[in-house]
Amino acid sequence: IIKSIVCGKNTFVIMPTGAGKSLCYQLPATVLEGTAIVISPLIALMKNQVDQLTAFGINAKFLNSTLNKSEMKKVKNDVIAGNCKLLYIAPESLTKEDNLVFLKKAKISFVAVDEAHCISEWGHDFRPEYRKIKEIIENIDVKLPIIALTATATPKVQLDIQKSLNM
């Protein structure tokens, strides 16, 4: 999985909870040039992962509604300057025009879609913004590799995820 991402290939991952899905995108993010965008559905999960990475000396940030304008500006400047290895963002934030403009200015290494089952209209936690991810990624950079990760996906949901992300 890690080799696939480092080589710039789209990658679809189904692994049980606790098996190391996060490591599959966190490790490549630390060795590749630029910032990995991690699309995550939960603010608490973003904060937890950023706190853990920061504790290990990895510059990770999140961009969500808990930040005020000056904090958002600092995060964006850090990413544009190339100082941030992982940027966690909710799909709803990814669809905002000012965030798209900002991401086009940044050097992005790849995009990770955590909890990818949320993409599927057949998934248990469907969120419509997830259906726009591929279009948004192509708008930022057509060549960006994508890694989609989930612990739970029926065959129908797996096919829907792959179709939605054009994998």
Side-chain angles (χ1 to χ4, degrees):
I1 294 167
I2 292 169
K3 184 177 180 182
S4 178
I5 287 298
V6 170
C7 290
K9 296 177 183 173
N10 288 342
T11 309
F12 183 60
V13 179
I14 301 175
M15 292 174 75
T17 300
K21 284 186 300 298
S22 298
L23 189 59
C24 292
Y25 60 81
Q26 290 170 344
L27 184 59
T30 64
V31 298
L32 292 171
E33 186 180 341
T35 302
I37 303 300
V38 182
I39 301 170
S40 181
L42 301 170
I43 289 173
L45 182 61
M46 290 182 208
K47 180 172 178 1
N48 180 269
Q49 294 219 354
V50 167
D51 288 347
Q52 286 179 348
L53 288 163
T54 303
F56 284 110
I58 298 166
N59 192 350
K61 306 281 184 197
F62 56 80
L63 198 58
N64 62 39
S65 60
T66 66
L67 303 177
N68 63 38
K69 285 192 184 261
S70 67
E71 290 169 326
M72 283 187 188
K73 185 175 180 178
K74 183 176 179 348
V75 168
K76 290 177 180 181
N77 288 340
D78 213 21
V79 171
I80 290 171
N83 298 327
C84 179
K85 295 309 289 177
L86 293 108
L87 177 66
Y88 289 78
I89 189 167
E92 294 82 4
S93 296
L94 193 62
T95 60
K96 293 181 180 176
E97 187 61 34
D98 60 327
N99 286 336
L100 290 174
V101 169
F102 142 68
L103 289 170
K104 285 181 182 180
K105 295 177 187 174
K107 171 121 178 83
I108 308 298
S109 53
F110 63 90
V111 176
V113 182
D114 203 3
E115 307 294 344
H117 59 272
C118 295
I119 288 173
S120 178
E121 61 187 325
W122 308 109
H124 66 81
D125 193 21
F126 175 63
R127 288 162 70 178
E129 294 80 10
Y130 269 89
R131 297 300 272 191
K132 299 175 185 169
I133 289 174
K134 182 61 177 172
E135 177 185 330
I136 291 166
I137 292 169
E138 287 178 347
N139 194 348
I140 296 167
D141 182 348
V142 138
K143 298 176 207 141
L144 279 175
I146 301 170
I147 179 171
L149 309 100
T150 185
T152 55
T154 64
K156 187 175 191 178
V157 170
Q158 291 175 37
L159 289 173
D160 197 30
I161 293 166
Q162 291 170 326
K163 180 181 174 193
S164 180
L165 293 175
N166 196 26
M167 300 179 110

